[in-house]
Amino acid sequence: MITVERLTKRYGPFTAVDDVSFEVKPGLVTGFLGPNGAGKTTAMRVMAGLTPATSGRATVLGKPYAALPNPGRHVGLLLDASAQHAGRTGREVLTLGAILMGVGKHRVDEMVELVGLTEKEANRRVRNYSLGMRQRLGIAHALLGDPEVLILDEPANGLDPAGIRWMRDLLRGYANEGGTVLLSSHLLNEIERVADEIIVIGHGKIVAQGTKDELLAGAGTYTRSTDDEALMAALAEASIVAQRTPTGGLQVEAEPIAVGRVALAHQIVLTELRGADSRGLEEMFLDLTAGAAREEVAA
Amino acid sequence: MTATTTTQVPGGAPVSKNAESALPTHAKVPSRIAGPRPTTGVPFGRLVHVELRKMLDTRAGRWLLIGIGAIIAIALTIMFFNEGGQHAFGEYLQATTMPMALILPVVGILAVTSEWSQRTGLVTFGLEPRRIRVAWAKLLSALFVGVCAFALALVLAALAHQAAITFRGITGDWSTDALVLLGAGGYVLLGIAQGVGFGMLFKNTPAAVVVFFVLPTAWSILGSMVSWLSDAATWLDMNQTMQPLFEGSLTGAQWAHLATSVAVWVVAPLAVGIWRLTRAEVK
């Protein structure tokens, strides 16, 4: 459970996070989506007590992060997979965490195995790790203390598609057991594949939030038929807005069921009928990205 | 998306030895740790333990210690053969403590600055957000290294002196003044505390190292050129204020000089450094 209330973070004249409020619920995977420089990382660092907020507050498990006793046993953090001492081995990084949190050394072996690092890889220095391996080490570190809450900044970065699927399954299983997960990404399809709830942030402000279904619902319907011309006319008659897409087929601003009914009434054979891809979300996201691409000030 | 060489097709072409392991096909949910989650903070002893380990588990840390060992070995060897090995225990002690006093502060500096340069602060202060405890743990663990090193310096100096007596037939001179011992130990420990303080103050390895090493030289150069600076140096140049300690006698004024220089170069950087450390944004 993470609660963010009217959180603002300013760096001089630049507002990195602008009056942001949201809640991350247990049992769900919440995606924090936004282009680079939107304020995701800054907001996450405030949640973890690493960056002081200008105003507003963030609490984790009902407390400010700094008030959590032995926070590693309550909250798993992965804020930057590259932020590890290059001269330490992966195993050493985990061992240090295990000592500090007071979990046994066997937990280190367990986590190494969980993220699929071999014995040899775990004993290699982080300097020689690929980004994907660092992410895996970071995920292992975040899970080390058996936390109730996970805060992961761009954890899928550097993972291949199989890795992203692995992470989705892992986080899904973790959330099913009651865990709270907040993960950020600048890639829509990554978030779409992993998250139940999505918070979209741009220029420091939240521009949309809701369940994935809610956010994708506005996307309308995509359909193809044996006679798109007739279907267009029939839809217009039912005062449903439809557009031809450049690749053929129709983009309809209605639920699939409404389109199906119209087709049935006019005896038009549909060859395809489905909720459109996250077009609405994608367009909103592209608008955000297109607008003055700002480098993340606090990267 | 970076192209990786990790894909392992069963029965496919053999993967090179350096290819990284594939992720498990099925994601396992991590097992629960038995018992309730802790309601008490991280014990301070654990913080010290971890900070101590962090000083020694990197290549940089290890090489610094190996370097000190090598310099001491060379110094003792030279003394052993030079002038027939005829040196008092005190001189052998100087040979073993000097390299430590010179290099161990760097271990203290790195203990702090690597949190920023290697960005491990994200993890360190994420696991212990009461940063002042981390600061104290760093200082104490660095001083602990210093105490161990000084004890080792005593042992090595004694061994070398005894070896010179046994094998070179010199007349033993074990005379030691408590104040001299205090001076040598203080020299090592104050240097380390200063290093930790500079690390916290600058948060940057090169800046802290350069300032730490340039400062004493700057005093002696500037002091010889500018007269009022040379007056100030009697109060502020730690190399000067420490000197009477090694000679085994301190007047009241010399104690005051020593205390002043320690306050300015050790206590003040630590105080301001800790204040900065607890407030800085961790990135």
Side-chain angles (χ1 to χ4, degrees):
Chain A
M1 174 84 160
I2 304 170
T3 312
V4 174
E5 291 166 275
R6 311 215 55 181
L7 181 71
T8 298
K9 174 67 189 174
R10 279 192 207 95
Y11 293 96
F14 176 71
T15 307
V17 179
D18 193 356
D19 197 16
V20 159
S21 300
F22 60 82
E23 218 172 65
V24 183
K25 300 182 199 84
L28 296 175
V29 177
T30 303
F32 200 20
L33 176 68
N36 289 326
K40 305 183 296 287
T41 301
T42 307
M44 285 177 141
R45 276 206 312 261
V46 173
M47 287 172 216
L50 295 168
T51 292
T54 306
S55 66
R57 59 190 222 127
T59 59
V60 184
L61 297 165
K63 291 178 184 153
Y65 187 91
L68 292 170
N70 197 346
R73 291 295 316 276
H74 299 274
V75 183
L77 292 179
L78 170 56
L79 293 177
D80 188 339
S82 297
Q84 284 301 351
H85 198 296
R88 280 193 192 112
T89 65
R91 174 174 297 278
E92 180 63 18
V93 167
L94 296 178
T95 304
L96 287 170
I99 296 172
L100 198 75
M101 293 176 206
V103 300
K105 296 247 169 96
H106 63 274
R107 185 77 181 171
V108 171
D109 299 317
E110 213 179 308
M111 291 303 113
V112 166
E113 196 212 317
L114 183 90
V115 299
L117 291 175
T118 63
E119 198 58 26
K120 221 172 127 194
E121 286 168 337
N123 292 328
R124 228 187 269 166
R125 287 175 204 279
V126 173
R127 173 191 334 271
N128 304 318
Y129 277 26
S130 68
L131 180 56
M133 286 167 79
R134 284 174 201 218
Q135 294 284 15
R136 284 149 73 174
L137 178 65
I139 291 167
H141 194 277
L143 291 168
L144 198 55
D146 179 29
E148 286 171 80
V149 176
L150 282 179
I151 299 178
L152 311 172
D153 195 5
E154 299 272 0
N157 211 350
L159 295 182
D160 54 16
I164 292 174
R165 198 176 81 183
W166 169 81
M167 200 182 62
R168 180 187 61 193
D169 295 347
L170 173 78
L171 296 181
R172 164 81 22 246
Y174 176 85
N176 284 347
E177 295 197 352
T180 305
V181 183
L182 177 67
L183 89 161
S184 76
S185 176
H186 64 285
L187 298 174
L188 177 60
N189 62 351
E190 243 171 50
I191 288 283
E192 251 185 314
R193 289 170 67 180
V194 182
D196 307 302
E197 296 226 344
I198 302 179
I199 299 163
V200 188
I201 186 169
H203 304 321
K205 286 197 173 75
I206 290 185
V207 289
Q209 58 179 319
T211 66
K212 186 162 66 177
D213 295 340
E214 278 166 13
L215 287 178
L216 298 185
T221 302
Y222 176 78
T223 187
R224 275 170 186 274
S225 66
T226 49
D227 188 353
D228 282 353
E229 207 62 49
L231 185 58
M232 275 278 272
L235 286 168
E237 205 173 293
S239 49
I240 295 173
V241 180
Q243 266 184 324
R244 280 180 174 279
T245 67
T247 48
L250 301 178
Q251 172 73 29
V252 188
E253 285 177 26
E255 294 295 300
I257 188 169
V259 179
R261 286 207 174 104
V262 169
L264 177 65
H266 289 80
Q267 303 216 328
I268 296 165
V269 179
L270 297 181
T271 55
E272 198 173 350
L273 176 67
R274 60 180 166 85
D277 299 327
S278 53
R279 185 167 293 258
L281 196 56
E282 189 172 8
E283 259 161 32
M284 177 172 66
F285 188 64
L286 286 176
D287 285 347
L288 275 177
T289 330
R294 274 189 275 183
E295 277 307 299
E296 183 145 24
V297 152
Chain B
M1 186 70 34
T2 46
T4 53
T5 52
T6 60
T7 29
Q8 254 172 309
V9 188
V15 196
S16 91
K17 265 188 207 157
N18 292 327
E20 51 183 82
S21 58
L23 279 160
T25 343
H26 296 289
K28 269 200 301 182
V29 175
S31 66
R32 299 295 320 277
I33 294 175
R37 289 194 167 81
T39 49
T40 52
V42 180
F44 188 68
R46 248 192 239 162
L47 283 172
V48 176
H49 176 190
V50 166
E51 290 303 330
L52 199 56
R53 188 169 170 135
K54 276 157 76 176
M55 270 178 232
L56 308 174
D57 70 357
T58 63
R59 244 181 222 181
R62 234 169 258 166
W63 276 110
L64 277 173
L65 296 188
I66 291 172
I68 295 172
I71 295 172
I72 291 175
I74 293 167
L76 288 179
T77 312
I78 292 172
M79 286 183 75
F80 192 70
F81 291 107
N82 189 29
E83 293 173 32
Q86 184 62 58
H87 306 281
F89 169 69
E91 291 171 282
Y92 280 101
L93 184 60
Q94 218 177 356
T96 52
T97 40
M98 277 299 268
M100 288 181 181
L102 272 176
I103 302 179
L104 282 179
V106 178
V107 176
I109 289 174
L110 284 177
V112 182
T113 53
S114 66
E115 299 283 2
W116 309 97
S117 64
Q118 302 276 342
R119 306 187 53 223
T120 47
L122 283 176
V123 171
T124 305
F125 300 121
L127 292 180
E128 180 47 281
R130 297 152 197 86
R131 293 189 207 166
I132 191 140
R133 302 182 79 218
V134 177
W136 285 117
K138 281 189 185 296
L139 181 62
L140 279 186
S141 55
L143 290 177
F144 180 74
V145 170
V147 170
C148 293
F150 184 61
L152 186 68
L154 284 173
V155 172
L156 286 177
L159 285 178
H161 191 53
Q162 184 58 52
I165 295 169
T166 313
F167 299 112
R168 310 280 301 175
I170 65 159
T171 20
D173 175 6
W174 292 98
S175 63
T176 41
D177 195 305
L179 210 53
V180 174
L181 282 184
L182 181 74
Y187 191 43
V188 174
L189 295 182
L190 285 174
I192 291 174
Q194 196 185 357
V196 173
F198 277 28
M200 290 175 181
L201 196 59
F202 294 107
K203 301 198 300 185
N204 170 305
T205 313
V209 170
V210 166
V211 173
F212 182 84
F213 284 109
V214 164
L215 210 54
T217 324
W219 272 121
S220 46
I221 295 172
L222 291 174
S224 62
M225 296 191 308
V226 190
S227 64
W228 65 265
L229 262 179
S230 114
D231 295 340
T234 50
W235 288 86
L236 293 176
D237 179 359
M238 271 181 74
N239 275 359
Q240 277 191 46
T241 58
M242 298 275 302
Q243 203 53 49
L245 269 181
F246 300 120
E247 286 150 18
S249 70
L250 260 84
T251 65
Q254 285 170 323
W255 275 112
H257 293 164
L258 182 62
T260 310
S261 61
V262 167
V264 170
W265 297 114
V266 180
V267 178
L270 271 172
V272 179
I274 288 177
W275 181 82
R276 277 198 78 181
L277 184 96
T278 51
R279 255 145 248 264
E281 185 177 10
V282 186
K283 290 182 181 174

